[in-house]
Amino acid sequence: MYLANTGRPDAPPRSPGARRRVPATVIALGAVSLVTDVSSEMVTAVLPLYLVLGLGLSPLQFGFLDGMFNGATALVRLLGGRLADRGGRHKRVAGAGYLLSALSRLGLLLADGATAGIAGSLAADRIGKGVRTAPRDALISLSGPPETLGRAFGVHRAMDTTGALLGPLAAFAVLWATADAYDAVFAVSFCTGLLGVLLLVLYVPPAPAGASGPSAPAAPPVGPTPRARTALRDPAFRRILYAASLLGAATIGDSFLYLLIQRALDLPAALFPLLPLGAAAGYLLLAVPAGRIADRVGRRLPFLAGHAALLGAYAVLLLPVARPTLAVVPVLLAVFYASTDGVLMALAGPVLPAHRRAGGLAVLQTGQALARLLGAAGFGAAWTFWGRGPALGTAALALAAALAAAWRILPASPTAPDTTQEAL
């Protein structure tokens, strides 16, 4: 076990070489994510508009589709993590996921508005994302010491968010240049996604030998061994999983929030793709500072504070505020993502042994995906049957209750796996 540090109880101990450059693996994966997010966010930015306003889906149908395809990746997330852990094949498994997501844009292009084709393409995109996410995050967590993981994930998420910022701008530019031709958006997105795959192949190194990082335990020996401890057998990891899943079930999803803003402001449909830009820009600015703060003060409090910011966004949309005040919602969303996305991975990573890192992170991401399936579908149903106000009020109450429960559930001082040698 790691010796206790003199800082916050849930902050990892610092080594003499902690203040070092961000590893090259993190930078390379950040570049891949940047390009890939330009591709994916071009589609994400126009998808609610395309499905709800263009094809006439109800909020219930859209919520079901959005939540279902996020939740349907559960099995492939687990499979991707397990395959990546076997023989340290993180890069190959992640590459397969990136390629499948790129090909899904081609499917949207060929679907030509057919519901079955759109559903299949969305499923392929979510499956690709599910396959690649855990191996990619495992590569990041294995590339440096645990005490700097908050900063490493912050740098990666900042680069990833740069793509999220550029994607809606690209979608807006394409729609403006082509007189609202959604097929042109899908075509440009497909080509950009292929570029991301090429960057991964050329510049991202494979996982360290034995899938062990600088501070991780060595891979288990080949041959008969005692039954390996899975991630779910670790009490600290279970509590992280329970808290993240509970909070995920009370998260209604960005698309619904942007639809609420669009209807509150009565914005023209052509301006809808620009709504995520504020949150993306804020996330870009806050991701690295949030990661550094989490490394310094511990990762539990920033993670909970991020969800408190999301609760604030719900409150702003519920209250009879002036229209300019709605600009606060993207800012609060930026704080939410900067304080939770990479911070959660940095919180859970050191708890897991290196040779099971991808599989454990896949379990955590799967729990969130299934919880958000319930949250998105439930909010869509509530909006359809009760209206926007009562549905959002119920979601705010659920998130407040989940925050109170997570405060008690999250471990105060998650530790590294028992197989790590004690520092002297």
Side-chain angles (χ1 to χ4, degrees):
M1 303 287 289
Y2 290 108
L3 291 178
N5 63 310
T6 57
R8 294 276 304 179
D10 56 339
R14 290 188 171 273
S15 63
R19 297 183 64 84
R20 62 183 68 181
R21 286 186 173 184
V22 174
T25 298
V26 176
I27 301 299
L29 284 169
V32 173
S33 293
L34 188 157
V35 174
T36 301
D37 244 34
V38 171
S39 170
S40 63
E41 291 301 323
M42 286 183 68
V43 175
T44 301
V46 302
L47 198 60
L49 194 67
Y50 181 55
L51 295 179
V52 176
L53 301 183
L55 300 183
L57 271 65
S58 70
L60 173 61
Q61 291 171 315
F62 173 69
F64 179 76
L65 277 177
D66 187 58
M68 181 182 68
F69 289 130
N70 278 299
T73 61
L75 292 180
V76 295
R77 284 177 188 267
L78 298 175
L79 180 61
R82 187 175 182 85
L83 289 175
D85 282 335
R86 288 185 175 180
R89 294 180 289 188
H90 302 75
K91 178 180 176 179
R92 279 181 283 177
V93 175
Y98 279 110
L99 180 59
L100 183 58
S101 290
L103 293 176
S104 73
R105 322 288 187 234
L106 183 61
L108 285 172
L109 182 62
L110 299 177
D112 195 27
T115 304
I118 292 172
S121 299
L122 292 178
D125 176 51
R126 298 302 195 274
I127 289 172
K129 185 174 182 179
V131 166
R132 73 178 184 251
T133 303
R136 181 203 66 197
D137 285 349
L139 279 171
I140 295 172
S141 69
L142 293 169
S143 66
E147 60 265 29
T148 62
L149 285 184
R151 179 176 59 178
F153 276 103
V155 169
H156 174 268
R157 287 341 192 229
M159 297 181 72
D160 182 270
T161 306
T162 302
L165 183 63
L166 296 175
L169 285 174
F172 176 76
V174 172
L175 287 177
W176 178 80
T178 60
D180 296 340
Y182 291 101
D183 285 353
V185 174
F186 301 149
V188 174
S189 175
F190 167 63
C191 296
T192 309
L194 288 183
L195 176 60
V197 176
L198 182 62
L199 289 175
L200 177 78
V201 172
L202 294 179
Y203 295 109
V204 175
S212 58
S215 62
V222 178
T225 59
R227 187 177 180 183
R229 185 181 69 172
T230 63
L232 290 176
R233 291 198 182 108
D234 186 287
F237 179 80
R238 284 203 308 269
R239 295 174 73 177
I240 293 170
L241 173 63
Y242 297 156
S245 299
L246 186 62
L247 290 166
T251 303
I252 66 175
D254 297 357
S255 297
F256 278 122
L257 291 178
Y258 294 135
L259 282 173
L260 288 167
I261 294 173
Q262 189 263 342
R263 297 196 177 190
L265 297 177
D266 196 24
L267 291 176
L271 296 180
F272 186 85
L274 298 180
L275 288 178
L277 294 184
Y283 187 12
L284 173 62
L285 295 174
L286 296 174
V288 176
R292 292 178 65 89
I293 290 171
D295 285 341
R296 188 174 296 272
V297 306
R299 292 152 191 165
R300 174 176 177 266
L301 185 59
F303 180 70
L304 294 173
H307 285 87
L310 180 64
L311 181 59
Y314 292 2
V316 170
L317 288 168
L318 276 170
L319 297 174
V321 297
R323 286 189 173 189
T325 308
L326 293 176
V328 176
V329 174
V331 176
L332 292 171
L333 276 177
V335 174
F336 165 65
Y337 280 113
S339 303
T340 59
D341 187 14
V343 171
L344 178 60
M345 296 298 104
L347 175 66
V351 174
L352 299 163
H355 62 278
R356 294 187 180 275
R357 186 73 51 88
L361 293 181
V363 170
L364 180 57
Q365 293 159 2
T366 295
Q368 278 193 309
L370 291 176
R372 286 174 177 174
L373 162 64
L374 297 176
F379 182 78
W383 184 349
T384 300
F385 296 115
W386 300 343
R388 285 175 285 173
L392 188 58
T394 302
L397 291 175
L399 182 55
L403 259 173
W407 177 269
R408 299 183 61 86
I409 294 172
L410 270 179
S413 55
T415 57
D418 291 339
T419 48
T420 306
Q421 292 184 349
E422 185 173 322
L424 295 178

